[in-house]
Amino acid sequence: SVSLSAGDVIYVSSESTGFTSFFGFAPDYTTGAMSINGDDAIELFENGIVIDTFGDIDTDGTGEAWEYTDGWAYRVDNTGPDGGFVLANWTFSGITQLDGTTNDLSAVPFPISNYSLTTQEFNTTSNFNIYPNPTNSGFVNITTKANTAVTVTVYDVLGKQVLSKTLNNNTLDVTSLTTGVYILKLNQNGTSTTKRLIVE
């Protein structure tokens, strides 16, 4: 476990020697969990909850639009975390693009530390309020500072989309959801954030 602040970048690799030789600097952490082969989906957890997913965890990515064998996938600026996988929020090198002896000599080098999440985007999370949370009433209220429709996409802890609605009255019907923890992606007027919802 490690705490990070907005804007921090860390590098996690399956090993250090090859990473350092290829990129010119050492990874911050090494772990066998990073032994991925270019067609594996990846989940990001925060406090035991999946907050972001890359790829479809139930699908071999070979031949899929999100395959990254000998290449890379990189999140589009000012997007995420999405809870589930949103292909449009990622950009790709294409496969077999990192075959150079170093990143700089590869056909399409990995974009090191270029991701940007603007301060305005990051601070908008306070614009969305959800209550009651936890809920056992079959609904939750979603309020914002703006008086326009809110698009809500709900993901389960495995990153599977289970509900999608556009709200004009601030009330989300969750009677179709079973007891558990969910991730809500909220979007309004181009501003988006994610929230955790507990259904009892």
Side-chain angles (χ1 to χ4, degrees):
S1 296
V2 59
S3 296
L4 299 174
S5 299
D8 288 350
V9 176
I10 61 170
Y11 293 90
V12 185
S13 177
S14 59
E15 51 77 45
S16 182
T17 303
F19 182 100
T20 303
S21 176
F22 187 78
F23 286 106
F25 59 91
D28 299 291
Y29 302 95
T30 59
T31 173
M34 294 305 296
S35 295
I36 53 180
N37 62 10
D39 60 8
D40 295 320
I42 300 168
E43 294 176 312
L44 177 66
F45 288 78
E46 179 183 23
N47 298 323
I49 303 297
V50 176
I51 62 167
D52 208 5
T53 305
F54 174 81
D56 182 345
I57 62 171
D58 296 318
T59 301
D60 181 324
T62 303
E64 298 290 328
W66 51 271
E67 182 183 1
Y68 53 97
T69 302
D70 292 332
W72 49 261
Y74 205 83
R75 179 172 281 289
V76 173
D77 285 354
N78 299 315
T79 66
D82 300 317
F85 179 49
V86 180
L87 180 64
N89 288 347
W90 295 86
T91 184
F92 301 86
S93 64
I95 62 173
T96 67
Q97 298 299 308
L98 291 179
D99 287 338
T101 54
T102 67
N103 186 54
D104 291 341
L105 295 177
S106 293
V108 183
F110 177 77
I112 299 172
S113 298
N114 287 340
Y115 177 75
S116 174
L117 182 64
T118 64
T119 302
Q120 178 182 1
E121 175 79 8
F122 202 82
N123 287 340
T124 57
T125 58
S126 61
N127 290 350
F128 295 89
N129 293 306
I130 299 176
Y131 64 93
N133 189 13
T135 182
N136 58 11
S137 62
F139 70 91
V140 291
N141 295 305
I142 301 173
T143 61
T144 71
K145 294 179 179 179
N147 190 25
T148 57
V150 177
T151 302
V152 184
T153 308
V154 183
Y155 301 91
D156 65 18
V157 292
L158 298 177
K160 178 182 177 184
Q161 181 180 314
V162 294
L163 188 64
S164 182
K165 297 283 184 182
T166 298
L167 305 180
N168 293 300
N169 64 358
N170 298 333
T171 301
L172 177 66
D173 183 341
V174 294
T175 54
S176 63
L177 303 181
T178 58
T179 300
V181 178
Y182 296 88
I183 302 297
L184 277 61
K185 181 177 181 182
L186 310 173
N187 189 293
Q188 183 182 52
N189 300 331
T191 296
S192 63
T193 190
T194 56
K195 296 280 189 177
R196 184 172 67 166
L197 172 67
I198 300 173
V199 176
E200 295 181 332

